[in-house]
Amino acid sequence: MSHHATLQHLLADPRVAKSPEHWTLYREGRLPEGWPLMTFITVPGLTTSDGADHRRLRGLVSQALTPRRIEALAPAVRQRVLGLLDDLVGAVGPDGSVDLRTRFAYPLPMDVIGELLGLRAEQQDRLHELSDILVSSSAVPGAGAAAARDMGGLLAALVAEKRAEPADDLASALIAAREEQDRLSEEELIGILLQLVVAGHETTLNLVCNAVLALLGHPDQLALVLGGEVPWSAVVEETLRRDSPVGHFPMRYALEDIDLDGVVIPAGDGILASYAAAGRDPGHWADPDRFDLTRSPIRHLSLGHGPHFCIGAVLARLEAETALRELFTRFPGLRLAEDAPSPIASFLSNSVSSLRVRLS
């Protein structure tokens, strides 16, 4: 689905489900072996559940991922951003440029997720690698499934550690969360942790890169935010609208025949939500390709809509705003070192594979 209005409607339509048991191809075993999206549609958790089951899981996660916990992360996020900016100077190559994606946008969200979950440094490094494989469209067949197994094993070990020695972190809070007499099962707990790691990492990474690329390509808009005429939050929202960090997200399924202005989605068919296309829909946005920080209001769909709205939206916005504000405060003369960065090879991520810049 690529039109804004159509996607918005379907994201909240009760005739559309998230559990793969409703997909004919999956139910009948007709998906090809090694299909790279299999992990995304089968891992137990928030993105693969419906109705009362989804409300139960979301309620339990909400008990752990509280506004207080996210607000308490703000100083740590800023300190990590400042540390990464210090490191950028030393990472400048002989040609005077540095890859902002690799050296800044890439480590930040995983470091924050690591802080949130209580991960050790070596666990964070391994999750970096596995997350990249999971969302890649160029990985060898079967690599995604192997990465999912390895990630599941790593997270299972983390759960065992936190169960033995609880701490003041999200993983421990998820283990302890309960709704009446119900807790997360072991499978659900590991699945939700996997979803939080992948979604929390890839989304913020791409959002920061896309925002930097847009600002450097539109100096008039950069001047507005540097001059205080618009807030950094406007940069985040317009980037989410124009260059959604998630291009497409698998999958949803039609529970019955759905007629969309004469086009019928048959019951049992899969639906791929195209967030990037919806943000550029000329039927909804005036001059949609233009990066314009004065748009108001910006009611985009890049963080979802309806019951599956991104549960980590507040954290993603906090990270991106902090990263962008501190980056351009430290390096107001930042500029691109390449004409046209290459898009990343991914079925999920909508960004660039590298972002080489000069700091001044």
Side-chain angles (χ1 to χ4, degrees):
M1 294 297 102
S2 58
H3 295 295
H4 179 100
T6 303
L7 180 58
Q8 183 175 22
H9 172 74
L10 285 177
L11 291 178
D13 194 324
R15 299 172 298 171
V16 177
K18 290 285 286 178
S19 173
E21 68 187 33
H22 301 293
W23 192 14
T24 302
L25 291 181
Y26 174 76
R27 193 173 57 247
E28 295 179 354
R30 291 195 279 140
L31 293 173
E33 185 176 353
W35 188 57
L37 303 187
M38 190 65 77
T39 297
F40 285 90
I41 72 164
T42 58
V43 63
L46 295 172
T47 62
T48 55
S49 57
D50 300 299
D53 197 34
H54 177 260
R55 288 190 293 273
R56 174 182 66 85
L57 294 177
R58 194 174 182 98
L60 290 165
V61 175
S62 296
Q63 288 182 36
L65 191 63
T66 62
R68 180 195 63 80
R69 188 179 296 277
I70 293 174
E71 184 180 351
L73 273 176
V77 170
R78 183 172 184 271
Q79 284 305 119
R80 186 56 183 136
V81 167
L82 294 177
L84 289 170
L85 293 176
D86 289 340
D87 295 342
L88 274 181
V89 177
V92 173
D95 66 347
S97 73
V98 61
D99 185 355
L100 200 71
R101 179 180 176 90
T102 301
R103 295 290 187 166
F104 180 66
Y106 185 81
L108 175 62
M110 188 59 80
D111 288 349
V112 173
I113 287 290
E115 176 82 14
L116 190 63
L117 295 180
L119 292 166
R120 298 190 305 277
E122 65 272 18
Q123 292 171 320
Q124 290 184 40
D125 292 342
R126 184 58 177 149
L127 285 175
H128 263 312
E129 299 169 4
L130 296 172
S131 180
D132 282 349
I133 295 171
L134 277 177
V135 303
S136 174
S137 59
S138 60
V140 297
R149 287 193 300 271
D150 289 351
M151 186 177 284
L154 191 157
L155 293 172
L158 173 69
V159 168
E161 291 174 15
K162 298 301 179 182
R163 185 169 281 123
E165 296 185 28
D168 184 19
D169 55 49
L170 180 60
S172 299
L174 284 171
I175 292 169
R178 76 166 58 239
E179 185 176 81
E180 296 178 353
Q181 298 304 310
D182 204 358
R183 289 183 186 270
L184 291 166
S185 71
E186 197 77 2
E187 190 177 35
E188 289 169 341
L189 178 58
I190 293 170
I192 286 171
L193 288 173
L194 187 150
Q195 291 167 355
L196 289 173
V197 167
V198 176
H201 177 216
E202 291 295 326
T203 301
T204 306
L205 160 60
N206 295 335
L207 174 55
V208 171
C209 287
N210 292 353
V212 171
L213 189 59
L215 287 170
L216 295 183
H218 298 80
D220 59 325
Q221 300 301 300
L222 178 57
L224 288 179
V225 69
L226 289 179
E229 296 177 59
V230 295
W232 286 103
S233 59
V235 178
V236 172
E237 299 309 315
E238 175 66 346
T239 303
L240 285 167
R241 191 279 307 171
R242 179 178 178 267
D243 298 299
S244 173
V246 175
H248 310 88
F249 196 84
M251 294 284 295
R252 284 173 164 80
Y253 318 101
L255 296 177
E256 58 185 75
D257 290 355
I258 301 175
D259 190 329
L260 298 174
D261 298 325
V263 177
V264 176
I265 302 175
D269 267 17
I271 301 169
L272 186 64
S274 181
Y275 295 98
R280 299 283 188 109
D281 178 6
H284 187 82
W285 307 100
D287 196 2
D289 294 335
R290 180 167 52 94
F291 185 71
D292 182 2
L293 298 181
T294 65
R295 291 183 193 270
S296 181
I298 301 179
R299 297 196 177 105
H300 56 76
L301 300 173
S302 291
L303 295 171
H305 175 71
H308 287 274
F309 182 79
C310 177
I311 200 166
V314 173
L315 179 59
R317 285 172 164 134
L318 168 65
E319 291 180 66
E321 285 185 38
T322 304
L324 295 167
R325 182 181 65 249
E326 299 299 339
L327 172 66
F328 283 97
T329 298
R330 177 76 66 89
F331 304 113
L334 192 74
R335 54 198 173 94
L336 289 176
E338 53 186 334
D339 292 333
S342 300
I344 192 169
S346 172
F347 54 80
L348 187 151
S349 294
N350 178 41
S351 190
V352 291
S353 58
S354 66
L355 185 56
R356 299 206 69 82
V357 299
R358 301 186 191 282
L359 302 181
S360 61

